[in-house]
Amino acid sequence: MNDYLEEPRNRYNELMASPEIIDSILFEGAKKARALTAPLLENVKTKIGRYK
C-alpha cells in the first residue's frame, strides 16, 4: 500500500511546498470554467429578462 501511495504523496508534498503551482492550476481551471459557463449564463439572463 505504501508503494501504491508513494507517487500521489510525492505530488502532494510538491504542491504543498509550492503554493504558486496550486494557484496556477486553480487559475487555469477557473478560466476553462468561465469559458464554458459564460455563454450559458448569458442565455439564462436573456431568457429571464435581465438583458434586453
Side-chain angles (χ1 to χ4, degrees):
M1 184 58 109
N2 215 14
D3 290 339
Y4 179 76
L5 293 174
E6 185 175 358
E7 187 176 332
R9 186 181 303 120
N10 289 338
R11 179 70 173 147
Y12 172 82
N13 289 332
E14 176 187 324
L15 291 171
M16 290 294 105
S18 302
E20 62 276 356
I21 294 173
I22 295 173
D23 290 340
S24 173
I25 292 168
L26 292 173
F27 179 77
E28 289 302 315
K31 198 162 57 168
K32 288 178 185 178
R34 275 189 218 99
L36 291 173
T37 59
L40 173 66
L41 288 174
E42 187 174 331
N43 188 22
V44 169
K45 288 176 182 179
T46 299
K47 290 191 182 216
I48 63 170
R50 177 102 190 260
Y51 297 130
K52 294 188 179 196

